[in-house]
Amino acid sequence: MKPDLFQAPDYYQLDDLLTEEHKLVRDAARAWVKREVSPIIEDYAQRAEFPKQIIKGLGEIGGFGPYIPEEYGGAGLDQISYGLIMQEIERGDSGVRSTSSVQSSLVMYPIWKFGTEEQRKKYLPKLATGEFMGCFGLTEPDFGSNPSGMVTNFKDMGDHYLLNGAKMWISNAPFADVAVVWAKNEEGRIHGLIVERGMEGFSTPETHNKWSLRASATGELVFNNVKVPKENLMPGKSGLGAPMMCLDSARYGIAWGAIGAAMDCYDTALRYAKERIQFDKPIAAFQLQQKKLAEMITEITKAQLLTWRLGVLRNEGKATTAQISMAKRNNVDMAINIAREARQILGGMGITGEYSIMRHSMNLESVITYEGTHDIHLLITGADITGIPAFK
């Protein structure tokens, strides 16, 4: 087991733009990742198992709903703090960040924004500590980039709703206690329902044989005449705009998280290049290796500036969906390219579990697709600047 020697690059002194609280939050998350995630994550990824023992720690560092108000169990932090926590967690592993991101932006966020006061008090404090774990049901077997076509539906049966349908590619599904599920009513209007584990007809089969996000639990949500109490419908917002608001929050977190994965790959490659001797000198002395490393730090720095500015806009309530899409697409693409270049610097060692690079590279193949694919985010930007949607 190799020690975690990670040193975060800050080429443009972005720390000067952060508050003391931001740095305290980030440094606490960084120390926790070094202590609790780095020593075990390669083993869990090899075994394709999620390390459930870290759930309590994720709650303690603010990994679950850090921007949720304190009255509901959250830390009441700002959007930049949320981003920095996601960055540090994904520096450890994208799958662990997925667990945190889903809990925060796709479960706690909609309950906070669209739920009743009773729902907030019932679920949010337990979700904030990890006593309850949640998942988000939007994607279906036949509807991914086009979620409005969903077929999952519920009918009003008088004293309850009857829910039928299925969701897939759901992070946290195999062990989630609650699921925020998006389904159509009898008029075809999309609403959010809170479904609890144990409700008859509700099952969560696990997805196996993944080459990516192996240390994250993924599954399906299957609803077979599930009786959902009427008080479990979230009344604050309906229509596709409601889950899209959740995805905005999650995509924002991913934009920060991808930087963490890229930073880890860069730091690993830089250290290796300085230590690996070939032709009687470290490979860092060769021009092609310096080219790779110089381009990596340039792209990381650009992404850091992009997300910091986006965080400021989020704090001010000014960030648009299209701006968030640009950052998610750019930063994940940046990270996956850095992972590939870093792997080359390590040569054959780059494919082994002794280093984190190949695991990051495989994980990012999922991150570049989920929460809006690479191409869909490009078209969101295209539609925003031209006023003409190209995906309809």
Side-chain angles (χ1 to χ4, degrees):
M1 186 181 298
K2 298 186 69 171
D4 185 342
L5 302 174
F6 174 73
Q7 292 184 322
D10 185 12
Y11 202 73
Y12 263 39
Q13 299 174 33
L14 266 78
D15 267 22
D16 292 350
L17 299 174
L18 304 178
T19 66
E20 288 305 310
E21 182 178 62
H22 291 151
K23 287 182 273 194
L24 284 170
V25 167
R26 179 200 61 197
D27 292 349
R30 183 173 296 167
W32 179 81
V33 167
K34 285 193 173 194
R35 185 177 65 250
E36 303 294 338
V37 177
S38 299
I40 66 167
I41 199 64
E42 296 294 346
D43 180 52
Y44 276 85
Q46 290 282 0
R47 290 191 277 131
E49 183 181 340
F50 175 72
K52 291 183 182 178
Q53 71 272 21
I54 68 172
I55 287 174
K56 185 173 183 291
L58 279 170
E60 290 170 351
I61 64 165
F64 299 142
Y67 50 76
I68 299 293
E70 293 181 63
E71 62 182 298
Y72 302 119
L77 299 173
D78 73 351
Q79 289 293 304
I80 291 176
S81 293
Y82 169 52
L84 288 166
I85 293 170
M86 295 302 104
Q87 171 187 283
E88 296 305 315
I89 294 173
E90 187 146 1
R91 205 280 298 177
D93 187 76
S94 301
V96 176
R97 198 268 310 141
S98 294
T99 294
S100 179
S101 185
V102 166
Q103 183 93 333
S104 298
S105 290
L106 303 183
V107 181
M108 298 178 72
Y109 178 88
I111 294 173
W112 172 45
K113 284 292 187 181
F114 315 136
T116 64
E117 189 64 14
E118 291 72 23
Q119 289 168 350
R120 295 185 192 110
K121 289 178 177 176
K122 178 179 179 181
Y123 296 107
L124 292 178
K126 291 183 177 180
L127 288 164
T129 62
E131 181 182 346
F132 279 3
M133 293 301 295
C135 64
F136 174 87
L138 181 65
T139 299
E140 297 189 358
D142 294 321
F143 297 96
S145 296
N146 178 26
S148 63
M150 70 173 66
V151 295
T152 299
N153 65 89
F154 65 97
K155 295 179 180 177
D156 190 334
M157 305 303 288
D159 61 344
H160 66 274
Y161 297 120
L162 200 63
L163 178 66
N164 281 283
K167 306 288 183 176
M168 72 180 305
W169 304 121
I170 310 300
S171 294
N172 301 357
F175 56 74
D177 302 288
V178 296
V180 170
V181 178
W182 302 94
K184 289 180 177 176
N185 65 9
E186 289 159 279
E187 289 75 46
R189 185 74 176 172
I190 294 171
H191 290 265
L193 300 162
I194 302 171
V195 181
E196 298 185 31
R197 184 171 296 281
M199 290 182 176
E200 189 175 352
F202 174 42
S203 59
T204 58
E206 187 164 2
T207 303
H208 296 289
N209 298 322
K210 297 181 299 176
W211 287 109
S212 182
L213 297 183
R214 288 174 60 81
S216 175
T218 310
E220 301 172 49
L221 305 177
V222 180
F223 314 105
N224 183 14
N225 289 326
V226 179
K227 292 181 179 180
V228 180
K230 286 201 164 179
E231 60 265 26
N232 283 33
L233 182 138
M234 294 183 293
K237 187 174 177 63
S238 64
L240 191 59
M244 290 298 106
M245 284 177 64
C246 304
L247 290 172
D248 275 353
S249 181
R251 290 163 177 171
Y252 167 75
I254 290 169
W256 281 91
I259 294 173
M263 288 163 61
D264 196 59
C265 292
Y266 165 77
D267 182 65
T268 301
L270 178 62
R271 186 175 296 107
Y272 186 90
K274 289 178 176 179
E275 296 171 353
R276 174 67 168 166
I277 306 297
Q278 288 292 283
F279 306 102
D280 301 320
K281 55 185 175 181
I283 62 172
F286 293 98
Q287 288 184 353
L288 288 179
Q289 306 310 316
Q290 289 193 9
K291 176 181 184 291
K292 289 182 175 69
L293 292 165
E295 288 176 341
M296 287 180 198
I297 191 59
T298 302
E299 294 305 314
I300 288 170
T301 301
K302 286 156 63 176
Q304 287 173 322
L305 289 163
L306 189 68
T307 42
W308 175 80
R309 178 58 184 159
L310 186 60
V312 171
L313 291 172
R314 287 279 289 177
N315 281 338
E316 295 174 350
K318 295 178 181 177
T320 67
T321 293
Q323 288 170 334
I324 294 167
S325 281
M326 177 183 283
K328 191 271 185 182
R329 179 183 182 274
N330 179 83
N331 291 9
V332 181
D333 185 59
M334 172 275 298
I336 204 166
N337 287 327
I338 284 177
R340 289 166 181 161
E341 290 292 281
R343 209 289 302 158
Q344 289 205 64
I345 289 175
L346 267 68
M349 292 304 295
I351 70 164
T352 71
E354 187 174 351
Y355 296 92
S356 61
I357 292 172
M358 188 58 109
R359 175 172 50 82
H360 282 307
S361 188
M362 291 191 298
N363 284 342
L364 288 163
E365 291 290 347
S366 288
V367 183
I368 206 166
T369 294
Y370 70 23
E371 316 265 352
T373 68
H374 184 71
D375 290 345
I376 287 291
H377 283 300
L378 185 73
L379 295 180
I380 289 172
T381 303
D384 192 52
I385 60 176
T386 66
I388 307 168
F391 37 72
K392 292 182 181 178

